[in-house]
Amino acid sequence: MDKPLEQVDQPTTELRIGDPAHLPPLTRDVSFWGMTVTQFFGAFNDNVFKQLLLLMGVNQVVNGEGQDLQGIAMIIFSLPFLLLAGPAGYLADKYSKTTVIVLSKAAEIVAMLLGVIGFWYFDMFGFAGLFVVLFLMGGQSTFFGPAKYGILPETLHEHDLPKANGIFLMTTFLAIIFGTVAAGVLRDQLGGASTVVTASAAEVADAVSVQSSSNLWVGSAICVVIAVIGTLTSLLVRKTKPAKPYAKLTIGACTVPPSAIRLFRAQPAMFKALLASCIFWLCAGVVQQSVNSLGVVQLELSDTQTSIMNGLIGVGIALGCMIAGLMSKNRIDFRIVQIGAWGISASLALLALPGPFHGHLLGFWGSLPVLVILGACTGMFSVPIQVYLQAKAPLSQKGEVIAEMSRANWVAILLSGVLYGLFDKILNDFHLPRCYLFAFTVLIMLPVAIFYHPPSEDLE
């Protein structure tokens, strides 16, 4: 007879760190705030570097240098998450999550140093060199992910998880705001070709020269300093015990573990939450590229203005995460998810409408409040699902489940690069405005809004 699910692959040692009664209140927990600051700096660096490459990629079109490279950049950034999520989950369970976090942050320093080299020698290596660095950054984040999210339920009271996740995600998306906007400012101020709507062959050659000799390495050097600070703050995180010290790395670690498959089969509600999360991240990946394309190509904005548009989504997400954390209290309230899903769909529909502003209904200023609302609905959608997957996974499988959630989400983000490339081709072939990219995204998100209605649950 098979063992009950909750007894499958259970360790023989106690997993939770210390007596929960001895944990300090969340607001005075140095470990929690150390982890929050560490994640903030990591997310900032990721978004500075990624947005720089996305802006350089979309400017290929307006400068007459070739195709939009955003989709390729998203695929490259996502590949490590797809290939390494299994081993990352294994390490997060095999060893102390605190140790994995510190080592991952040290690897971030190395990746940022390589970024400096990539920009400095752009004339020699071009986009290929920067894409290699982007892949390495994705790899570093892959190993950081399961440990950073898995450590919260191991070091906090379960009733603190909604509030903690709200704070954690809010500060994460604040980092996305600052990182995304900083990338646009860096590109405009330190060099790199700006938007050139009409240009002669000589002007295009000059633009290429400006980009290749830009001082963007200075921005990457700043990221090195931030990575060092983030590594130091990671030392404040409370030491945890290994969840599965007896685990062995096998070829199966590179695929979905059988224990995770058994878990999702036994708890279909968790599997549905995973699918909803994937569709959400698929849309999120397409939206970031679409906003860059709308701003740079259709509205003819500067890189700074375009990055502000993307950054305002982050403002909304931070607000939405905070609202979701406060509304959830001590329960997983899926009504908040439904509000978020419909809000996302409505906001995307507004952004898709053509009109008088360079062929767009809202233009730059009209898009700003809609992007904030889009972000707020995004935060409201994501927090309850995140809490649900954290809280309902068996303690011995939290790292594994979070790793599979990360793998599935990054498969979705990788596909967003593919879909964006497909949508881009359709628009180019039929000579349609870039705002129609958001219409395609609405069609992806609507099924979640219509069909995903799980019951809310109380937390212990």
Side-chain angles (χ1 to χ4, degrees):
M1 179 181 294
D2 293 336
K3 294 181 288 184
L5 178 66
E6 64 271 17
Q7 295 179 6
V8 174
D9 294 332
Q10 291 284 344
T12 57
T13 58
E14 181 63 39
L15 296 177
R16 185 169 286 279
I17 309 308
D19 186 347
H22 296 159
L23 294 176
L26 188 65
T27 54
R28 298 201 302 270
D29 191 337
V30 174
S31 172
F32 169 71
W33 291 110
M35 187 64 246
T36 301
V37 173
T38 298
Q39 163 63 4
F40 177 90
F41 286 131
F44 178 88
N45 275 348
D46 279 353
N47 283 275
V48 167
F49 197 88
K50 183 178 69 173
Q51 178 68 355
L52 276 175
L53 262 65
L54 291 177
L55 288 172
M56 292 173 71
V58 73
N59 271 287
Q60 292 280 104
V61 177
V62 293
N63 293 332
E65 300 166 28
Q67 66 178 27
D68 187 340
L69 298 178
Q70 287 190 100
I72 295 174
M74 290 296 286
I75 291 171
I76 291 173
F77 187 66
S78 307
L79 269 178
F81 294 87
L82 174 60
L83 300 176
L84 301 174
Y90 157 80
L91 290 177
D93 283 338
K94 170 76 172 179
Y95 301 101
S96 167
K97 291 180 176 61
T98 311
T99 301
V100 174
I101 287 169
V102 173
L103 292 178
S104 296
K105 294 302 294 182
E108 182 185 340
I109 298 174
V110 176
M112 290 295 96
L113 284 170
L114 291 174
V116 173
I117 296 172
F119 282 116
W120 183 272
Y121 290 104
F122 185 84
D123 284 341
M124 182 183 301
F125 299 114
F127 277 98
L130 294 177
F131 283 158
V132 169
V133 177
L134 189 64
F135 181 87
L136 294 176
M137 286 181 59
Q140 175 268 328
S141 297
T142 301
F143 287 99
F144 185 55
K148 75 178 178 183
Y149 286 116
I151 203 169
L152 293 183
E154 287 191 12
T155 57
L156 299 176
H157 293 286
E158 187 171 273
H159 62 74
D160 279 334
L161 284 177
K163 184 177 180 181
N165 275 276
I167 295 172
F168 202 62
L169 290 176
M170 180 185 70
T171 53
T172 297
F173 285 110
L174 284 174
I176 293 173
I177 299 166
F178 296 137
T180 301
V181 175
V185 174
L186 287 172
R187 182 164 158 75
D188 280 337
Q189 298 300 317
L190 295 178
S194 299
T195 302
V196 181
V197 180
T198 58
S200 65
E203 289 171 331
V204 170
D206 289 341
V208 176
S209 176
V210 169
Q211 175 166 293
S212 64
S213 60
S214 68
N215 293 318
L216 289 177
W217 67 268
V218 176
S220 194
I222 295 172
C223 291
V224 174
V225 176
I226 293 173
V228 171
I229 297 173
T231 303
L232 294 176
T233 59
S234 71
L235 300 176
L236 299 174
V237 179
R238 187 179 296 113
K239 184 73 174 180
T240 64
K241 297 177 183 178
K244 288 184 178 180
Y246 54 86
K248 295 180 180 180
L249 181 61
T250 63
I251 295 177
C254 298
T255 61
V256 180
S259 55
I261 295 175
R262 290 196 296 269
L263 176 63
F264 287 125
R265 283 178 176 172
Q267 298 190 30
M270 288 187 66
F271 183 66
K272 291 177 182 178
L274 184 68
L275 288 179
S277 178
C278 289
I279 295 174
F280 161 72
W281 282 107
L282 176 65
C283 293
V286 174
V287 165
Q288 181 179 13
Q289 299 169 82
S290 300
V291 171
N292 285 335
S293 185
L294 174 67
V296 173
V297 181
Q298 184 171 343
L299 300 181
E300 301 176 6
L301 303 174
S302 68
D303 289 332
T304 298
Q305 290 174 305
T306 300
S307 292
I308 287 173
M309 292 175 70
N310 257 317
L312 283 177
I313 298 178
V315 172
I317 291 173
L319 293 173
C321 289
M322 182 173 62
I323 292 170
L326 293 173
M327 291 178 64
S328 296
K329 296 182 179 179
N330 293 330
R331 69 196 315 257
I332 303 168
D333 193 342
F334 279 104
R335 292 174 300 178
I336 301 173
V337 174
Q338 295 164 25
I339 294 172
W342 282 109
I344 291 170
S345 300
S347 300
L348 291 173
L350 279 174
L351 290 167
L353 296 176
F357 300 103
H358 292 275
H360 189 232
L361 176 67
L362 302 176
F364 174 66
W365 293 106
S367 296
L368 299 185
V370 176
L371 291 169
V372 174
I373 294 171
L374 172 63
C377 293
T378 296
M380 295 174 68
F381 181 92
S382 62
V383 169
I385 292 177
Q386 181 76 51
V387 173
Y388 180 81
L389 289 170
Q390 283 183 354
K392 296 304 177 181
L395 191 55
S396 65
Q397 289 183 271
K398 289 189 186 294
E400 183 180 88
V401 168
I402 293 169
E404 294 313 312
M405 178 182 69
S406 176
R407 190 210 304 266
N409 289 343
W410 282 99
V411 168
I413 294 175
L414 184 148
L415 290 176
S416 77
V418 177
L419 282 180
Y420 176 81
L422 176 61
F423 297 159
D424 178 71
K425 184 176 186 341
I426 292 173
L427 295 185
N428 287 333
D429 288 348
F430 290 92
H431 305 289
L432 297 173
R434 313 304 297 171
C435 59
Y436 285 178
L437 289 165
F438 299 101
F440 291 121
T441 315
V442 172
L443 297 179
I444 300 173
M445 192 66 198
L446 268 178
V448 178
I450 295 172
F451 298 111
Y452 187 58
H453 302 288
S456 300
E457 296 188 25
D458 293 326
L459 291 170
E460 296 178 2

